[in-house]
Amino acid sequence: FNPAPQVYAPAHPDRVGIFTTLEPASADSGSRTKALWKMGYRTLRWSAEDPNEDSLLYRLQFRPEDAPEAWLPVVDGLEESHFSFDATTLPDGIYRFRLTAMDREEGPDRLTDRRISEPVLVDHTPPAVGEQTRRGGAWWIEILDELNPIRTAEYSVDAREWKPIEPEDGLLDGRRETLRVEVPEEGKIVMLRLMDAALNSITLELTR
């Protein structure tokens, strides 16, 4: 998350359709060249050129991976070669985006070209906890994530500092992991914090 003093809320959340954007509402806003950041937003970038050096406009569409003909609108008449949008409007899953580049001037001789993106993974769901077993002074905990590998696992005893947890196989890189959490005898409350590669996080209480 960028700590710089920049705009994090959508510039015009009441635009038509489900996709809000971080792009400024007008060219006079003075922030067109800024890098804008907001949790849950995604940015698509591309490069295009016209041999005649004509200026171009872009149309962006999307579809679920398993619906090859269901192209739906994202934005039309775009001048920039990038677009940031709120991906939390989409359910978890895999999507494709289709970009159409066209001459700015309309007419019978207007030329267009299209490209379809690589698969884009949208994931809003944090990791989940499966089977939990306590043996002696330790918890053995199974954690899993449907779409992304788990990147961070930490625990805190009685609201003290967060400490990293080493998984059973020594490397936290899969969508299913087994963790071993040492709990001291005096520990009353043990909190577990998990995060996946899409920055979805969850905090759970292991003991009371």
Side-chain angles (χ1 to χ4, degrees), residues 92 95-96 148 150 166 192 202:
D92 287 3
Y95 295 86
R96 298 269 185 170
N148 270 295
I150 297 160
E166 183 173 329
L192 176 67
I202 188 172

Side-chain angles (χ1 to χ4, degrees), residues 153-173:
E154 302 171 305
Y155 76 102
S156 170
V157 178
D158 294 343
R160 294 193 290 268
E161 73 276 8
W162 292 102
K163 296 181 180 180
I165 306 172
E166 183 173 329
E168 188 178 38
D169 61 5
L171 188 61
L172 198 62
D173 62 349

Side-chain angles (χ1 to χ4, degrees), residues 86-143:
D86 184 2
T88 63
T89 60
L90 297 175
D92 287 3
I94 299 175
Y95 295 86
R96 298 269 185 170
F97 289 82
R98 183 170 71 180
L99 178 72
T100 302
M102 65 198 81
D103 293 332
R104 181 179 293 271
E105 299 297 328
E106 297 185 13
D109 297 327
R110 190 182 203 185
L111 300 178
T112 65
D113 195 15
R114 285 177 173 172
R115 291 290 186 273
I116 297 177
S117 73
E118 295 296 317
V120 176
L121 177 63
V122 173
D123 178 13
H124 313 302
T125 305
V129 173
E131 184 178 352
Q132 303 178 48
T133 305
R134 186 165 186 176
R135 299 198 296 268
W139 280 94
W140 295 86
I141 307 166
E142 180 187 48
I143 56 175

